Amino acid sequence: MKAVIQRVSQASVTINNEKVASIESGLLILLGIVAEDSQEDIEWLTRKIANLRIFSDENGVMNRSLIDIEGDAIVVSQFTLHASTKKGNRPSYIKAAKPNVAIPLYEGFVKRLEEALNKTIQTGQFGADMQVELINDGPVTIIIDSKNVE
């Protein structure tokens, strides 16, 4: 499971000219899922994201987590995070999980993040053509892969 986490001062998702998600201070999370992902990946990744200290404290030091600031989050499914670009010029998405595997894991991730943050998490729509707008605060962008823990 791979996530691109962006600290935002605002973000939104629009589908068919309808805004389906909108937040102020918090995180925009782009989530890519592979067939090998499991509940263990969900648990590890949600715990990591909820507790990641990337928000400024009163001294301007990144020392506060999403939990600490009671921030919001939008989770957007993005299979292209698992694109293979090694050969040729057309990315291959063969590593990305098929919808029958990815959808339950995506929904499980959102549910577990809601539990960790004790609040409703906004989302895009799995498989939809979405327009994602954001103001990246910092900018702070972090990539986390549950299979490549460093």
Side-chain angles (χ1 to χ4, degrees), residues 28-145:
L28 173 66
I29 303 164
L30 306 175
L31 185 68
I33 299 168
V34 295
E36 296 78 25
D37 287 331
S38 67
Q39 187 64 36
E40 185 177 313
D41 295 282
I42 290 171
E43 294 295 329
W44 184 88
L45 191 57
T46 55
R47 188 172 45 254
K48 180 61 78 176
I49 291 171
N51 291 290
L52 200 60
R53 297 183 335 185
I54 59 172
F55 294 92
S56 297
D57 63 16
E58 60 280 351
N59 298 315
V61 177
M62 285 196 288
N63 201 29
R64 300 184 77 206
S65 70
L66 192 58
I67 292 172
D68 295 333
I69 69 159
E70 298 179 358
D72 293 316
I74 296 177
V75 179
V76 175
S77 171
Q78 189 167 357
F79 74 94
T80 60
L81 291 180
H82 289 288
S84 174
T85 57
K86 187 167 182 143
K87 293 168 57 177
N89 293 318
R90 177 180 290 178
S92 168
Y93 305 106
I94 197 158
K95 291 182 185 178
K98 303 290 184 239
N100 65 319
V101 171
I103 292 171
L105 290 169
Y106 170 74
E107 291 172 349
F109 176 87
V110 171
K111 182 174 189 262
R112 185 64 192 100
L113 190 59
E114 287 178 333
E115 291 167 357
L117 299 175
N118 196 30
K119 63 172 32 185
T120 301
I121 300 299
Q122 297 187 56
T123 66
Q125 180 182 335
F126 191 94
D129 180 17
M130 296 174 270
Q131 287 68 54
V132 178
E133 294 183 80
L134 69 134
I135 297 176
N136 191 317
D137 182 21
V140 175
T141 301
I142 297 174
I143 301 169
I144 302 176
D145 188 335

Side-chain angles (χ1 to χ4, degrees), residues 8-15 18-24 27-28 30 73-76 122-124 130-135:
V8 298
S9 55
Q10 67 182 54
S12 65
V13 178
T14 302
I15 302 170
E18 179 186 344
K19 193 171 283 191
V20 298
S22 180
I23 64 168
E24 296 298 320
L27 297 176
L28 173 66
L30 306 175
I74 296 177
V75 179
V76 175
Q122 297 187 56
T123 66
M130 296 174 270
Q131 287 68 54
V132 178
E133 294 183 80
L134 69 134
I135 297 176

